[in-house]
Amino acid sequence: MRLTLTSSDLESLARTPVERAAATCLRLGRRGWALGRRVPDRRLDGLVAIDAEALHERLAAGDTFTTLLDAAGSWRVDGAAAGRGLQVVVGPQYSWRQARVVDLDGAVRVAGPGVELFVTRCGRYLSVDGGGELEEISELAAARLVYRLPHVREDGLPPVLLAARHARRLVAALAVPGGAGTDQALAGARAAATVTELLRGTVAGDVRAQRGIAAQLLVDHHGSQARARAELGVARSTLCELLSGR
């Protein structure tokens, strides 16, 4: 896995013929640095370290491979280490300067039509985009992806994704057949309204209670509301409400 640029990488790039120099680059992908084709209209250009054209110009100006590498410490990816299952996940702006390494060994893989999602052992959600690159996404975005999938293997899913699947089953239970008669359509509309109120009231209250229980456990583990609040990312008033059960 290529996680740090070397002189050999630059030498390979420098051998690029002039006619292909503008379209050839060193790019950081899901398995590390590699020589590849530069596509100007793609956002993955943010993962490019240097293209052959720029390298040719720097060498002609008197730079050496060593000086170029020494001047680019940020080309070394945080967390770089040898090991099986290590892959690169890019930053939110697809910038190689924000890239870091994650270990996919032991990660839960969720796949479906147009969706490939990994849940790492440390609880990160990584989506594979259309270009084959790994991008970290929020828990809510992951839940939405899993909710939309027609079929998912549920073994090993974290609670939030399992809950998303239960929510899909809830909606499916309310489905009214396309050829339903008046009585059946009316019953379906009323059932949906009833379940909506159930979700807004009873279910939402129970979910909030579970959130409060988890928040209290976090406070107990840290011995500090301030530390728990920082991890949860909530205001002091919100934490107080959660701990009081309101």
Side-chain angles (χ1 to χ4, degrees):
M1 187 175 183
R2 294 170 175 269
L3 296 175
T4 302
L5 286 181
T6 66
S7 294
S8 296
D9 294 323
L10 293 181
E11 289 170 5
S12 297
L13 184 62
R15 288 194 290 270
T16 304
V18 174
E19 62 272 16
R20 297 206 308 268
T24 306
C25 65
L26 281 165
R27 191 170 68 194
L28 184 60
R30 64 186 296 190
R31 292 197 177 278
W33 293 111
L35 205 64
R37 181 171 178 269
R38 184 166 195 162
V39 184
D41 61 346
R42 290 190 59 184
R43 59 182 177 171
L44 295 183
D45 274 353
L47 296 177
V48 173
I50 189 171
D51 61 40
E53 189 173 57
L55 180 59
H56 289 171
E57 291 175 356
R58 296 289 294 272
L59 294 174
D63 284 316
T64 66
F65 297 136
T66 300
T67 58
L68 288 173
L69 289 172
D70 288 345
S74 58
W75 288 355
R76 292 165 180 78
V77 184
D78 290 341
R84 191 166 56 92
L86 294 178
Q87 292 195 30
V88 172
V89 55
V90 301
Q93 303 303 319
Y94 280 79
S95 168
W96 57 267
R97 293 180 184 83
Q98 298 171 349
R100 54 186 171 71
V101 176
V102 295
D103 189 349
L104 292 186
D105 277 349
V108 175
R109 179 176 177 268
V110 182
V115 173
E116 187 176 10
L117 177 72
F118 291 95
V119 186
T120 69
R121 285 180 294 187
C122 60
R124 296 186 183 278
Y125 297 90
L126 307 173
S127 174
V128 181
D129 71 6
E133 303 295 335
L134 282 174
E135 179 186 12
E136 186 167 1
I137 62 175
S138 68
E139 189 170 68
L140 178 58
R144 285 173 173 158
L145 284 175
V146 171
Y147 172 82
R148 294 296 180 187
L149 289 175
H151 304 288
V152 171
R153 181 177 177 180
E154 298 183 0
D155 295 346
L157 286 183
V160 67
L161 299 188
L162 190 58
R165 297 306 298 171
H166 290 323
R168 183 180 176 89
R169 283 190 281 273
L170 180 151
V171 173
L174 296 172
V176 178
T182 303
D183 290 345
Q184 196 173 10
L186 179 60
R190 287 174 172 169
T194 298
V195 170
T196 298
E197 290 305 312
L198 178 68
L199 291 172
R200 287 175 178 166
T202 306
V203 176
D206 288 345
V207 170
R208 188 172 179 82
Q210 291 299 319
R211 187 183 176 194
I213 291 170
Q216 183 63 65
L217 287 172
L218 197 59
V219 171
D220 293 343
H221 284 306
H222 286 312
S224 164
Q225 286 194 14
R227 288 185 62 188
R229 191 171 70 250
E231 279 200 272
L232 290 169
V234 299
R236 181 178 181 180
S237 58
T238 300
L239 180 61
C240 289
E241 288 182 2
L242 288 172
L243 297 181
S244 67
R246 287 184 287 157

